[in-house]
Amino acid sequence: MTAGLTPMRMNERRLSASFFPWIFAVLMGGTMTAIITAILLLVTDVEWTQFPVRWVENWLLAWVIAIPVIVVVAPRARVLASRIAVPPAVPQRR
């Protein structure tokens, strides 16, 4: 069996659960910071010719900061949220 793959099924090609927080943080952080930095640049007086370069610079900085923050905060936020509201059931894949 290949290291890092889940031991559940030999034909399953997903990474183990230990990678999940980081994969989630990369995807969620990347999406959120891309949208937020674009909006912040649009509402400021940035020249359109500077927008692409300024956006990439700001997005990369925000993304690098967001990934570890999400990994640390998300589990605690889930616990706190579950004390306030009933968490939804996680659908099982077949």
Side-chain angles (χ1 to χ4, degrees):
M1 184 140 79
T2 307
L5 295 178
T6 58
M8 302 286 281
R9 298 181 202 152
M10 292 294 285
N11 63 350
E12 179 128 12
R13 306 306 291 176
R14 295 190 295 172
L15 297 172
S16 68
S18 63
F19 288 98
F20 183 86
W22 291 100
I23 301 298
F24 177 81
V26 166
L27 296 172
M28 192 69 191
T31 303
M32 286 178 46
T33 56
I35 293 167
I36 292 167
T37 54
I39 291 170
L40 289 174
L41 281 175
L42 289 172
V43 298
T44 60
D45 291 331
V46 66
E47 292 183 30
W48 283 105
T49 57
Q50 296 177 337
F51 182 84
V53 172
R54 298 263 323 267
W55 175 75
V56 170
E57 291 171 349
N58 288 316
W59 173 66
L60 286 174
L61 176 61
W63 197 26
V64 167
I65 294 167
I67 291 170
V69 169
I70 292 170
V71 169
V72 171
V73 173
R76 290 155 182 84
R78 284 187 194 104
V79 169
L80 182 58
S82 68
R83 291 180 183 166
I84 298 168
V86 176
V90 178
Q92 299 295 319
R93 292 186 59 166
R94 294 181 184 180

